[in-house]
Amino acid sequence: MLRFKVGLLVGGALILLLSACSVVPVEPSVHYSRVAMLHLYELERWSFEGRLALTGQNDSWSANISWEHSPDVEKIKLSGPLGQGAVVISLKGNVVTIDRGGDDVQSSTQPEEFINQQLGMFVPVRSLRYWVVGLPEPSRSYKDTDIGFNQAGWLSEYKQMQSVDDGAMPLKMMVMNKQVKLKLIIDHWVLNDTKSN
């Protein structure tokens, strides 16, 4: 009986020791901070891949998204599962081009109005190129919130951040106004600052 109790105590102690060894310290969460991201205004090139869900008053859809930013052009590719129905939106200066594949290429010198017409809901692409990296558009006033900012009638919220190149970039974000809600999950960032090379 004594041997059984000793075995029980030793076994219990081993279980406690093993469970103590298996405890992994949890990394502190990376939180959104606009001030900590100000250096990104100087970043000339970046790209990301992720998933987008867009909801309007009368319609909603989702797509995979890849976005390449350079000083001259914004290139946004939207596609369904397995690359089906790919659409490439290119914005260069005041000219937007939408390529649906084949010979279906259309252009306009009124970018946001044209994209609005094509998507069926208004998306502020010029501002969005700043908002996706966590910054307000520099030419417009804004108001900070706890996890983002209000600008031009739109609320940008950064629900979750991720560590990228010793800094923080958005992982889960939402941009919305009274008519449109845009949810974005960014799976992979590439930051290339050509100024420093």
Side-chain angles (χ1 to χ4, degrees):
M1 187 68 176
L2 181 63
R3 187 176 289 173
F4 175 75
K5 287 183 178 178
V6 170
L8 195 60
L9 283 171
V10 170
L14 283 173
I15 290 171
L16 286 173
L17 282 172
L18 287 173
S19 65
C21 291
S22 66
V23 173
V24 178
V26 178
E27 286 187 27
S29 297
V30 182
H31 297 288
Y32 173 75
S33 168
R34 181 186 56 78
V35 174
M37 304 179 82
L38 291 176
H39 67 283
L40 295 174
Y41 280 125
E42 303 300 320
L43 191 65
E44 290 194 336
R45 297 177 187 274
W46 51 259
S47 63
F48 71 75
E49 294 179 2
R51 291 157 284 156
L52 170 73
L54 198 59
T55 305
Q57 292 178 315
N58 301 314
D59 195 11
S60 65
W61 52 266
S62 59
N64 296 320
I65 180 172
S66 64
W67 188 322
E68 296 176 21
H69 166 82
S70 69
D72 300 323
V73 65
E74 307 292 333
K75 186 176 180 182
I76 306 165
K77 182 179 179 182
L78 303 172
S79 60
L82 304 175
Q84 295 176 345
V87 175
V88 178
I89 302 169
S90 298
L91 179 61
K92 187 172 184 179
N94 288 323
V95 178
V96 63
T97 301
I98 296 183
D99 184 351
R100 297 181 186 276
D103 296 327
D104 190 5
V105 180
Q106 298 175 303
S107 297
S108 173
T109 54
Q110 296 180 316
E112 294 189 338
E113 292 82 353
F114 185 61
I115 292 170
N116 178 24
Q117 180 186 11
Q118 297 295 312
L119 298 180
M121 57 190 90
F122 181 73
V123 178
V125 176
R126 291 181 183 280
S127 299
L128 201 58
R129 64 182 166 186
Y130 294 101
W131 297 348
V132 293
V133 297
L135 292 169
E137 185 179 354
S139 62
R140 294 185 172 191
S141 62
Y142 63 90
K143 184 177 181 181
D144 285 320
T145 65
D146 289 341
I147 55 170
F149 50 84
N150 277 295
Q151 186 173 48
W154 292 80
L155 173 63
S156 295
E157 290 187 334
Y158 302 89
K159 306 285 189 181
Q160 193 174 344
M161 303 293 288
Q162 58 186 310
S163 296
V164 179
D165 295 348
D166 299 323
M169 296 298 291
L171 171 62
K172 294 181 180 178
M173 64 174 290
M174 188 178 298
V175 175
M176 67 190 118
N177 66 8
K178 291 179 180 178
Q179 287 80 38
V180 178
K181 182 184 289 184
L182 183 152
K183 293 180 181 178
L184 184 61
I185 298 174
I186 300 174
D187 299 311
H188 182 67
W189 279 100
V190 176
L191 308 181
N192 297 315
D193 189 354
T194 55
K195 286 183 177 179
S196 62
N197 293 339

